[in-house]
Amino acid sequence: MNSQLSIRGLTKKFEAGTPNEKIALDKVDLEVQKGEFITLLGSNGAGKSTLFNAILGKFLPDEGRILLDGEDITYQKDYKRALNIGCLFQNPLRGTAPNMTIEENLALAYTRKASRSFFALNRKDSDYFRQILASLDMGLEDRMKTRMGLLSGGQRQAAALLMATIARPKLLLLDEHTAALDPASSRKVLEVTKQIIAEDGLTALMITHDMEQALRLGSRTLMMDSGRIVLDIQGEERARMSPRELAELFGKKAREGLSDRTMLAL
Ligand SMILES: Nc1ncnc2c1ncn2[C@@H]1O[C@H](COP(=O)(O)OP(=O)(O)OP(=O)(O)O)[C@@H](O)[C@H]1O
Ligand SMILES: [Mg+2]
């Protein structure tokens, strides 16, 4: 099997053995092919961010394995995984240096890829950055010397996305990265997201609460509930599905999950 990401029986309990025990990941199995772009839905507390954090190595799972491009990274340190996994969260400043300029931030991400010294950044690199910033059409190319913290939310997220992907990661994780933006900025950042993922042929997982986005972007949609993947829609079935049908299916699965949990509690 040549999955880019392979998750096998991944389980994580928080506050295990206490009355507050919570199974955030419940034997999750998932195979993601190289170049696949997946959208991930699920109610609050379903385990979506926990899945991302497990992949990023923010904690160790209780059970299960995580393989990235064939390599078992289950016990790999988070900073090592960060070389191969790009990520973006709701807060546009997370993962960037707000007091540094866009150019400096990009240079930091870029030098990691080129494994050369930060100070070796030359005119050619600057031109290259300006060119890719211009291609985003977010008004960033004229603001290379602006500190990240002074950009609009949308511009920051677009710049952060570029930083997360400039080293062509093996995997890109997007956790509601447009949720805090106004509708116009959100649309723009999603366009940029689509563009970067397609151009670089990246393997990506994107968490969203928006049914329309979930179907419009990528080629496969998953839904999580109570730490499990309860829906996996792709191909013809997905192509024919409307956001409304997806919302109905989502509601049905969430209700089933709720009744299962109630039965267990009785
Ligand atoms: N560090 C933690 N300590 C204790 N419980 C946690 C921790 N992180 C997550 N949880 C719990 O695990 C469950 C899954 O949380 P998670 O953040 O993964 O949900 P989510 O699907 O991302 O939800 P949302 O849509 O609200 O972001 C929740 O019940 C949450 O309270
Ligand atoms: Mg979350």
Side-chain angles (χ1 to χ4, degrees):
M1 204 181 314
N2 59 348
S3 297
Q4 182 73 346
L5 174 70
S6 185
I7 291 179
R8 299 176 188 165
L10 202 66
T11 298
K12 179 69 189 175
K13 281 186 195 152
F14 286 113
E15 304 189 55
T18 76
N20 294 327
E21 179 172 295
K22 174 84 207 172
I23 304 181
L25 295 176
D26 189 2
K27 302 188 185 73
V28 174
D29 289 316
L30 175 65
E31 298 293 326
V32 182
Q33 299 309 308
K34 213 181 183 104
E36 205 166 32
F37 177 7
I38 294 178
T39 55
L40 177 57
L41 294 164
S43 313
N44 295 127
K48 307 176 297 295
S49 298
T50 303
L51 178 64
F52 277 19
N53 287 330
I55 297 170
L56 289 165
K58 299 295 170 205
F59 53 74
L60 292 180
D62 300 323
E63 281 170 45
R65 323 281 319 166
I66 305 168
L67 279 79
L68 183 65
D69 197 14
E71 185 189 0
D72 191 330
I73 60 162
T74 314
Y75 299 109
Q76 197 178 61
K77 294 276 183 215
D78 56 353
Y79 65 89
K80 282 205 171 147
R81 302 185 201 201
L83 293 173
N84 293 317
I85 307 175
C87 57
L88 208 58
F89 303 90
Q90 216 179 96
N91 175 0
L93 289 182
R94 194 166 153 188
T96 64
N99 288 321
M100 284 166 57
T101 67
I102 304 184
E103 186 174 30
E104 287 164 344
N105 267 287
L106 266 183
L108 262 184
Y110 182 68
T111 45
R112 214 170 55 172
K113 175 193 178 189
S115 51
R116 59 178 127 162
S117 129
F118 175 63
F119 298 101
L121 191 72
N122 56 31
R123 181 67 210 272
K124 207 167 127 241
D125 292 329
S126 286
D127 287 347
Y128 172 63
F129 293 156
R130 196 176 297 279
Q131 190 191 319
I132 43 180
L133 287 169
S135 76
L136 297 185
D137 199 19
M138 297 283 298
L140 288 168
E141 68 275 23
D142 301 324
R143 310 198 62 178
M144 293 239 298
K145 307 284 181 207
T146 307
R147 279 184 284 139
M148 278 291 282
L150 297 175
L151 298 174
S152 75
Q155 285 177 324
R156 262 181 299 195
Q157 250 352 23
L161 184 64
L162 214 50
M163 279 149 217
T165 53
I166 201 160
R168 303 242 166 129
K170 289 183 175 177
L171 180 67
L172 176 65
L173 300 176
L174 305 166
D175 191 346
E176 300 189 49
H177 70 305
T178 64
L181 304 177
D182 64 73
S185 303
S186 165
R187 224 171 298 126
K188 190 74 220 167
V189 171
L190 282 174
E191 276 313 303
V192 168
T193 304
K194 234 170 90 176
Q195 183 187 327
I196 291 177
I197 290 175
E199 274 172 16
D200 291 348
L202 297 175
T203 308
L205 283 163
M206 181 182 97
I207 298 175
T208 177
H209 285 286
D210 184 315
M211 304 289 152
E212 196 268 331
Q213 268 178 32
L215 287 176
R216 187 167 53 80
L217 283 99
S219 59
R220 181 177 171 195
T221 297
L222 303 176
M223 177 189 161
M224 284 186 76
D225 184 63
S226 304
R228 289 188 297 246
I229 295 174
V230 293
L231 268 181
D232 185 347
I233 312 164
Q234 47 192 316
E236 274 289 297
E237 184 192 13
R238 186 175 186 268
R240 277 199 307 267
M241 193 168 285
S242 68
R244 195 180 154 166
E245 284 168 326
L246 180 60
E248 278 166 14
L249 210 52
F250 181 101
K252 187 166 160 268
K253 284 287 172 189
R255 280 192 300 278
E256 279 172 17
L258 196 63
S259 74
D260 282 354
R261 287 194 292 280
T262 314
M263 292 291 281
L264 277 175
L266 289 175

